[in-house]
Amino acid sequence: MLRICGNSKTVGKAFQVKLVERMPRVYKAVKAKSGCFEESKIYFDLTYDHSIVYPGPNLNMIVGANGTGKSSIVCAICLGLAGKTAILGRGDKVGLYVKRGCNKGSVEIELHKAKGNLVINREIHVENNQSTWMLNGKHSSQKTVEEEVKALQIQVSNLCQFLPQEKVGEFAKMTKIELLEATEKSVGPPEMYEFHCELKTFRTKERELEVIEEPYLKVLYTAEEKYSLKKSFYSGKTSTSNSAVRPSQYLTMAVDAEEKRQLEEQIRTAEKSMQAIDVQMSAMQERTAKLDRRDNELRAQKKGLSEMKGKKRQLEQKISTKQDSLRQMEQGGIDLQKAEEETKAQISAVNSQKVAIVAEFMAHMKLSMEKVYMALETVGMTAEKTKLETDCREGSAELRQACAMLEQRKARLLEMCKGLMRRAREICNMDPGESAVPPDLHTAFSQLPDTMDEIDAMLNEERSRAECFTGLSENVVDEYNRREQEIKNLEKELDEKSNALKTYRQNISEAKERWLNPLKQLVEQINDKFSDFFRSMQCAGEVDLHSENEEEYDKYGIRIRVKFRSSTQLHELTAHHQSGGERSVSTMLYLMALQELNRCPFRVVDEINQGMDPVNERRVFDIVVRTACKETTSQYFFITPKLLQNLQYADEMTVLCVHNGPHMLPPNKWDEKAFTRRCVRRKGK
């Protein structure tokens, strides 16, 4: 049931009153297919206030003059099944499909389902272009409705199933690839389109693995050729070039025995120098100790001399005091002779003391001079000691530096020797723990000279030859090693990608077998029907599976070729080669070829007979009636503004006449029998 209604809060004369009515029909009981319309309610449109459509299970022909609102039923089906407004091509906002002057509208569609019919209700609000959804009377979301519709294999976005009036011309504009995908979705098994997508994905991965392009690798060397890769800046394509390389030369490295011997001799000389310096340092340390002891003794003597000087000053003071006393005594009339004798005796004693003091002082002076001489000798020895220490330190630093450099050189030579040994084992394909030389290498080594001098001469000769080559970089060995490592990495990556490529090819082979064989059978069935239809119209047409390359699965397509005159050849159906009527005929017959194969529950075609000449229109109509009224086909909606006279009808078809105008009777006053009697009487006259 399809019911149309518009709700308005405006006051005034109704815009129009319309009626969708069924004409009497008789058809056999047909088992309904899941997803077909049992009864649809439409509560909105540009035209209807309220209307109900009761479609039949087979061919439903909706007839009405232009402007009566036939396409409103198509719009209601699309929007009620959660289709996009772009499918209809009439307006981009859903609110534009509500009758003018109404605030909201609704669509209610009832679809057959084995475990209970599915009732979808959509209410559209004009103000914000929003919709509310209900499923079987319960509030729902648009996503849930879309999932339910998809589960019933309904595809309103597929032109092979749902072809509104504004999209009729686009069918002929579809590419072969688009037509194949639409046909797969419409009449193929559910897994056919999935297999096709899977194949395209596998093929894309396969193409990526077939061409290994490393942007950092510009040049690749093999044993005999040099390959260069260059990527075009404009097209992005990669081109390669190759050239022959010169014969390979030996890259050798040896230890200089003479230089090693000289270094070892320098080490031994340096060690002897260190030992001699150590002996000199010990002797100097002993002499320094003796000088320190002599210095201490001289200091003690100097201290004694200082004490004697103090005593001398005390005696001189006493002599001065005595002289003063003598002068006083002379002045006081003392016995001068006696005093003189006493004084002489004292003076003699004092002089004796002075002589002793002077003698002692001279002895001390002699000691002081010796001390001075010893101090000067000490200073000289200290300077010599300092110089020796400086020389020793400098010699020690140079020796340590030389030893460090020697150790570094020794470590480098050792590491180099180890590296050369590892390299030799790798070149000889020897295991790390293997020590025995392979027989072939042993044979090669046996051919070398026996003495070191001869081997050195041979090496010098090879070095001289190597030095004759020009244009070689000093970093050629590093470059060679780097590229060798790159080659190893690329070989590893190539092995991984080769395994992945084998896996993808195996998957492609399996998926291709599952997809291509059923697809070919399907296209053959479509071609048989399509050719029969064209043959019955005294024309020719065929459908084939087209592909320029069998392995390019994204390039597969369905090609339709037709001819309407015996004097011409078959031409591919395009938007420009055939006339509008010829395109309509071809489109209609292709859809009818799908009809018996169709797994979708219904098909809608709106005014496709426009532009056909009467002969072709009659022929197409007969094919539509014969095909769409079979019990094995799905429900079919054929909308047309006109029909030719004396057409052949079938009991299984349902004719829905859409009337429109200001003088139409309300549905509750319509008398079907009275209308039939008037028609019969009018025909009798």
Side-chain angles (χ1 to χ4, degrees), residues 10 17 226 387 395 591 613:
T10 58
V17 179
K226 167 187 174 183
K387 183 177 181 301
L591 295 179
D613 61 83

Side-chain angles (χ1 to χ4, degrees), residues 145-190:
V145 174
E146 291 174 350
E147 292 174 353
E148 290 287 345
V149 170
K150 183 179 179 180
L152 294 173
Q153 300 178 354
I154 297 174
Q155 306 167 23
V156 292
S157 60
N158 190 340
L159 294 183
C160 288
Q161 179 178 347
F162 193 87
L163 190 61
Q165 180 180 352
E166 284 72 13
K167 299 291 184 178
V168 170
E170 292 189 7
F171 187 89
K173 297 179 182 179
M174 294 175 66
T175 64
K176 295 185 286 290
I177 298 173
E178 293 172 341
L179 183 59
L180 172 60
E181 293 182 355
T183 303
E184 286 177 326
K185 294 177 182 178
S186 179
V187 300

